[in-house]
Amino acid sequence: MLLFDTPRYIEQLGWLGRRAALPEGSALLRQFDDLRWDARGSWPYQSLPSIKQLQALRYLPGFSPLTFTSVIRPDADPVASRKALEEMGNHFNIEFRPLKAHLAHDPGLPPARDGYSRRTRNRLKHAEDVFFVEREALLSEHEVMSSWQCRLKKLRSITDSSAPDPRHFAGLIAAFRERTESNACVALRWRNSGALAGVFLFFSDLAGQSWHAHSFLLDDGALPDFGSYLLFDRAVKLLGDRMLWFGGAPAGANGNGVFTFKRRFANCTGQAHILSVDLNDAELTKIRSSHKTFPWLPNYRAPEQTAREPG
């Protein structure tokens, strides 16, 4: 199970919707029109939901969501997943399909560092003269991280449904700062001033066997001195005794370029999937007859509608 699955974490995802407290697990409710809602899972991904969680959503008083949609973790056990999906299919109409590859460092394999090119090594050497990197507690500089996140959203044309809102980082600090075993904040700082230049945030699975990337954020001024290279390299050095998941190609512009950059530091990949579960068959039949189909959203929701909604 991931920390991303827990109610306390899902409480920090207000930009995605209203949290529904269920007898087992949590989900986020988003309004579709004046009368209808749909539900989605945690960000950036989650474990497979339970039958009890989906049944509770189907009969949620006052809302009756149309569908449940979530991205499923790239390291899910294939045998257990297959059994869970078969059981889910006995109760619901579901769709489960590959979404995108995620990159990772596996401590049981030769590290990517062994194969760094001369150019990468030279860039790291330069960055070491300009920056230092340490693992810290979740930082108090949440306003800085929020400003970097807002800039990143504009730069890459990332939709509101694919990136945190400004309140998210403050919420993480309030909820998880004291739980140092559950989070890892790898901080890049300028040698000459100690000021924050970048962060790489990870959250642990609850068994303490793997780390999962939450956010990679960098000050514009750190790019020319290859701060991004040093932050990735040091994350592997500091946390690489466990499986370390870096994420995949981000939404928006230059996603493939970001994926290529991450691949320098990874030695394996895994496949994230998207799960869609029908919760209200009668209403969905009406709605789908008059709406287009989109592959990564509930198939009655247009991308431009999701991009302009606050939740």
Side-chain angles (χ1 to χ4, degrees):
M1 186 176 180
L2 298 168
L3 192 87
F4 296 155
D5 302 332
T6 62
R8 193 173 186 187
Y9 177 82
I10 291 176
E11 283 178 357
Q12 316 309 320
L13 305 180
W15 81 91
L16 291 177
R18 179 188 303 183
R19 188 176 76 86
L22 306 170
E24 182 175 312
S26 293
L28 294 150
L29 300 174
R30 304 186 306 161
Q31 198 153 7
F32 170 60
D33 59 23
D34 290 341
L35 300 174
R36 301 183 182 97
W37 297 71
D38 56 32
R40 67 154 294 168
S42 190
W43 178 91
Y45 48 70
Q46 67 166 84
S47 307
L48 281 169
S50 68
I51 298 292
K52 288 183 180 179
Q53 180 178 347
L54 295 173
Q55 292 283 20
L57 279 172
R58 172 178 270 175
Y59 300 110
L60 192 65
F63 293 98
S64 187
L66 299 168
T67 59
F68 173 81
T69 304
S70 62
V71 178
I72 303 303
R73 59 193 292 177
D75 60 339
D77 177 78
V79 175
S81 295
R82 184 167 60 252
K83 291 180 179 178
L85 289 165
E86 288 174 358
E87 177 63 17
M88 208 178 292
N90 292 331
H91 298 268
F92 302 91
N93 178 35
I94 69 170
E95 185 176 9
F96 186 73
R97 62 185 184 277
L99 178 63
K100 60 182 177 181
H102 279 53
L103 296 159
H105 165 80
D106 183 340
L109 298 174
R113 187 179 296 111
D114 292 350
Y116 282 171
S117 67
R118 178 179 295 180
R119 183 175 70 169
T120 294
R121 293 182 185 279
N122 286 339
R123 288 180 172 182
L124 284 168
K125 184 177 179 180
H126 172 84
E128 288 170 355
D129 293 334
V130 181
F131 307 102
F132 67 92
V133 176
E134 293 179 348
R135 179 178 173 183
E136 304 182 12
L138 279 173
L139 303 170
S140 59
E141 292 114 316
H142 58 85
E143 291 182 357
V144 176
M145 289 187 281
S146 295
S147 69
W148 290 342
Q149 182 67 60
C150 289
R151 175 182 54 79
L152 194 63
K153 286 173 68 172
K154 292 179 182 178
L155 180 67
R156 295 188 185 153
S157 302
I158 301 173
T159 66
D160 289 341
S161 62
S162 297
D165 68 4
R167 295 168 294 180
H168 179 64
F169 296 99
L172 290 180
I173 291 165
F176 298 109
R177 183 166 188 166
E178 304 306 319
R179 294 181 57 182
T180 54
E181 78 289 349
S182 71
N183 64 79
C185 177
V186 182
L188 178 81
R189 295 188 179 274
W190 300 95
R191 284 195 180 276
N192 60 359
S193 67
L196 190 65
V199 293
F200 207 168
L201 301 183
F202 294 86
F203 282 90
S204 175
D205 70 340
L206 296 184
Q209 296 176 343
S210 58
W211 291 109
H212 297 262
H214 174 281
S215 295
F216 179 83
L217 300 168
L218 201 71
D219 187 275
D220 270 348
L223 285 170
D225 290 305
F226 311 114
S228 55
Y229 283 74
L230 192 62
L231 199 43
F232 259 88
D233 178 77
R234 292 300 187 267
V236 175
K237 283 189 175 180
L238 290 167
L239 307 175
D241 58 336
R242 302 187 198 175
M243 280 294 297
L244 187 63
W245 289 91
F246 297 136
N254 199 32
N256 289 337
V258 174
F259 188 82
T260 299
F261 170 78
K262 291 180 181 180
R263 194 158 51 194
R264 287 182 174 88
F265 307 95
N267 61 7
C268 65
T269 62
Q271 184 72 46
H273 290 74
I274 192 162
L275 171 70
S276 180
V277 182
D278 290 354
L279 299 174
N280 190 328
D281 295 336
E283 285 298 311
L284 284 168
T285 299
K286 299 176 190 176
I287 293 167
R288 285 171 174 160
S289 66
S290 59
H291 285 72
K292 297 178 181 178
T293 297
F294 299 95
W296 66 94
L297 297 167
N299 59 9
Y300 45 82
R301 257 188 196 272
E304 60 270 17
Q305 181 187 36
T306 297
R308 67 173 178 260
E309 290 177 352

